[in-house]
Amino acid sequence: PAARAAGPGLEERLFQQVRDHFSFETCGNETFPQRYLVSAKFWKKGFGPIFFYTGNEGDIWTFAQNSDFIFELAEEEQALVIFAEHRYYGKSLPFGLESTQLKKTGLLTVEQALADYAVLITELKQQYGAADCPVIAFGGSYGGMLSAYMRMKYPNIVAGALAASAPLLSVAGLGDPTQFFRDVTADFQKSSPGCVTAVRKAFQQIKDLCLSGAYDEISSKMATCNKISNKEDVYQLFGFARNAFTMMAMMDYPYKTDFMGHLPANPVKVGCEQIIAHTDPVQGLAALVGVFYNSSGSAQCYDIYQLYQSCADPTGCGIGSDAEAWDYQVCTEINLTFNSNNVTDMFPEMPFTEAMREQYCWRKWHVRPRAHWLRTNFWGGDLKSASNIIFSNGNLDPWAGGGINSSLSPSLIALTIKGGAHHLDLRGHNPADPPSVTEARKLEASIINGWVKSAGMERAREKRSGASAGGWL
């Protein structure tokens, strides 16, 4: 697997990780194999910094293959690069293939994941003879939240963090529930004003057809594999369609990507062209969602229950076992009660209230979400006592509205990337990049370089004063 085309010289390894960091009973002395990827290609052994990617909700190779900026910077800084996989995702399964079954999910928390990273960094520094090498955490999206949290919770281990597109406020329940789909709508509006009108018209026509019982017409125009036969099916169709818009807005990169699905360059623009080219708005909508769901062009129809599974994250959980793990996380600590209302956004009204979330989570996982826990444990929006964190957001990214968009102190720096979608800055340079992301990467590089230097100077100072007993006392 190490031969996969990801950053230079990555090797896949396993680390025997503690199953439960916060108990000395039962699981506390048991371990599970946690996967991580490591590249020492650019490392100045024993001296260069350590760049540590805090893995998020998926296979760690996916993130390694889409974060070339980290390798470009590692070459400049002569850094050791580590991508660590998040517990319960990819192959890092505390209870093997049963990990996402009821009663086995209890150890899937943000706190356990951060503790995994803290333990892994500590052990690997030992192994590599890197005791004096400063660690910089990197992450995008949920991974960006984790990199910020690492700096907040373990400043003894991590000297600084780049938190790209990290929705720190919305996940703590501090956002506006209409914000997300309003911003997805705004992306399509910016692309071409006629686009939103056409989308609204398409959804309205589907609603009208549904009310008159013309389910066959909906099925044939939307090219569903199975006949739509009731209101539940129409609601599923709405969720399925809305998810395509979400993904296209998040991945609205200026060149084609294979990050979370195969998408062309500027997918929002491509999607709008599709719907506007059709005289029938519903058939146009089917073509638009095909930019995401039928990128190969070979699908004859859409299996709407297979391609989209609704969950406790209205922006989508994906499919497969990683999706199950994420569903559990958004049922416990991470709050994503976004809804669409057809007023501030172009989508059908699809409410998702605290009560609906509670009901779903209890039925599916036998857990009750703790709406305020992230605010308590990870400070909500009151981050000013932290330091050395960059919060970067792209103005095309619907997640940006739930993140930190203005600097909180000289060392808590917010960057906005004009024309950037979801953590574009973590991707490698590309000729099609907007100038703003090139600038942002330069600034990130120089800030990180400063952190590395001052951590090095502090180490040297400690060593000198350590020789004289008593330190500062």
Side-chain angles (χ1 to χ4, degrees), residues 204-247:
Q204 188 55 51
Q205 282 191 16
I206 294 172
K207 253 181 264 182
D208 295 344
L209 290 167
C210 173
L211 288 171
S212 63
Y215 292 120
D216 285 1
E217 195 178 332
I218 302 175
S219 309
S220 70
K221 283 185 173 172
M222 279 302 290
T224 61
C225 299
N226 303 315
K227 285 241 184 291
I228 301 253
S229 57
N230 54 37
K231 284 199 171 63
E232 284 68 44
D233 288 349
V234 173
Y235 205 73
Q236 173 68 16
L237 178 69
F238 285 160
F240 157 84
R242 189 180 70 173
N243 190 57
F245 288 93
T246 296
M247 298 309 275

Side-chain angles (χ1 to χ4, degrees), residues 82-217:
I82 299 166
F83 278 75
E85 190 164 66
H86 192 299
R87 57 168 58 209
Y88 284 85
Y89 294 97
K91 291 192 173 155
S92 301
L93 305 172
F95 299 99
L97 296 174
E98 293 171 7
S99 296
T100 52
Q101 288 175 8
L102 269 183
K103 300 272 174 276
K104 295 273 200 249
T105 46
L107 298 175
L108 172 49
T109 63
V110 174
E111 293 77 5
Q112 296 277 7
L114 294 173
D116 287 343
Y117 298 152
V119 168
L120 181 62
I121 292 168
T122 307
E123 293 288 323
L124 291 181
K125 282 182 102 171
Q126 198 94 48
Q127 264 180 45
Y128 277 84
D132 291 338
C133 302
V135 178
I136 307 295
F138 291 78
S141 201
Y142 170 50
M145 289 163 50
L146 295 174
S147 70
Y149 292 165
M150 278 305 285
R151 173 62 187 164
M152 289 152 61
K153 285 277 170 184
Y154 298 101
N156 55 319
I157 293 176
V158 169
L162 171 55
S165 300
L168 287 155
L169 302 178
S170 49
V171 292
L174 294 167
D176 167 357
T178 65
Q179 171 265 318
F180 190 88
F181 292 111
R182 185 184 67 220
D183 289 353
V184 172
T185 302
D187 280 352
F188 284 81
Q189 179 72 32
K190 267 182 236 161
S191 179
S192 88
C195 190
V196 168
T197 315
V199 171
R200 283 184 182 274
K201 202 187 250 173
F203 282 126
Q204 188 55 51
Q205 282 191 16
I206 294 172
K207 253 181 264 182
D208 295 344
L209 290 167
C210 173
L211 288 171
S212 63
Y215 292 120
D216 285 1
E217 195 178 332

Side-chain angles (χ1 to χ4, degrees), residues 409-425:
S409 80
S411 75
L412 296 171
I413 300 154
L415 303 180
T416 300
I417 298 163
K418 195 170 159 11
H422 206 43
H423 50 72
L424 174 63
D425 49 332

Side-chain angles (χ1 to χ4, degrees), residues 185 187-196 198-199 245 248 266-278 284 287-288 291 346:
T185 302
D187 280 352
F188 284 81
Q189 179 72 32
K190 267 182 236 161
S191 179
S192 88
C195 190
V196 168
V199 171
F245 288 93
M248 288 155 70
N266 307 300
V268 168
K269 182 168 172 283
V270 173
C272 285
E273 284 163 0
Q274 289 287 346
I275 195 167
I276 289 166
H278 284 74
L288 183 150
V291 174
M346 62 185 172

Side-chain angles (χ1 to χ4, degrees), residues 171-419:
V171 292
L174 294 167
D176 167 357
T178 65
Q179 171 265 318
F180 190 88
F181 292 111
R182 185 184 67 220
D183 289 353
V184 172
T185 302
D187 280 352
F188 284 81
Q189 179 72 32
K190 267 182 236 161
S191 179
S192 88
C195 190
V196 168
T197 315
V199 171
R200 283 184 182 274
K201 202 187 250 173
F203 282 126
Q204 188 55 51
Q205 282 191 16
I206 294 172
K207 253 181 264 182
D208 295 344
L209 290 167
C210 173
L211 288 171
S212 63
Y215 292 120
D216 285 1
E217 195 178 332
I218 302 175
S219 309
S220 70
K221 283 185 173 172
M222 279 302 290
T224 61
C225 299
N226 303 315
K227 285 241 184 291
I228 301 253
S229 57
N230 54 37
K231 284 199 171 63
E232 284 68 44
D233 288 349
V234 173
Y235 205 73
Q236 173 68 16
L237 178 69
F238 285 160
F240 157 84
R242 189 180 70 173
N243 190 57
F245 288 93
T246 296
M247 298 309 275
M248 288 155 70
M250 282 169 60
M251 309 299 140
D252 196 18
Y253 299 124
Y255 46 85
K256 79 186 225 335
T257 54
D258 292 318
F259 178 32
M260 291 153 106
H262 306 282
L263 284 170
N266 307 300
V268 168
K269 182 168 172 283
V270 173
C272 285
E273 284 163 0
Q274 289 287 346
I275 195 167
I276 289 166
H278 284 74
T279 42
D280 183 291
V282 180
Q283 285 173 336
L285 179 65
L288 183 150
V289 303
V291 174
F292 176 65
Y293 290 116
N294 185 18
S295 51
S296 65
S298 58
Q300 297 304 296
C301 62
Y302 300 123
D303 185 337
I304 61 172
Y305 284 96
Q306 184 52 51
L307 291 167
Y308 174 72
Q309 288 158 14
S310 73
C311 67
D313 177 354
T315 73
C317 286
I319 43 186
S321 72
D322 288 342
E324 290 290 288
W326 182 244
D327 190 33
Y328 179 82
Q329 288 199 265
V330 289
C331 265
T332 47
E333 301 183 286
I334 292 169
N335 305 279
L336 293 172
T337 45
F338 295 124
N339 61 59
S340 55
N341 57 24
N342 200 233
V343 180
T344 55
D345 57 66
M346 62 185 172
F347 302 106
E349 186 180 345
M350 298 178 76
F352 187 56
T353 58
E354 288 296 342
M356 289 166 76
R357 176 184 180 220
E358 290 227 354
Q359 198 185 352
Y360 169 87
C361 295
W362 183 252
R363 203 178 61 237
K364 172 138 189 208
W365 297 106
H366 288 289
V367 293
R368 296 205 191 283
R370 291 186 195 160
H372 296 288
W373 175 236
L374 272 198
R375 271 183 237 183
T376 304
N377 202 30
F378 295 107
W379 317 1
D382 188 2
L383 303 170
K384 58 186 176 301
S385 56
S387 63
N388 293 9
I389 305 172
I390 300 166
F391 304 99
S392 61
N393 284 289
N395 73 332
L396 297 181
D397 182 13
W399 289 103
I404 306 291
N405 290 294
S406 47
S407 297
L408 305 172
S409 80
S411 75
L412 296 171
I413 300 154
L415 303 180
T416 300
I417 298 163
K418 195 170 159 11

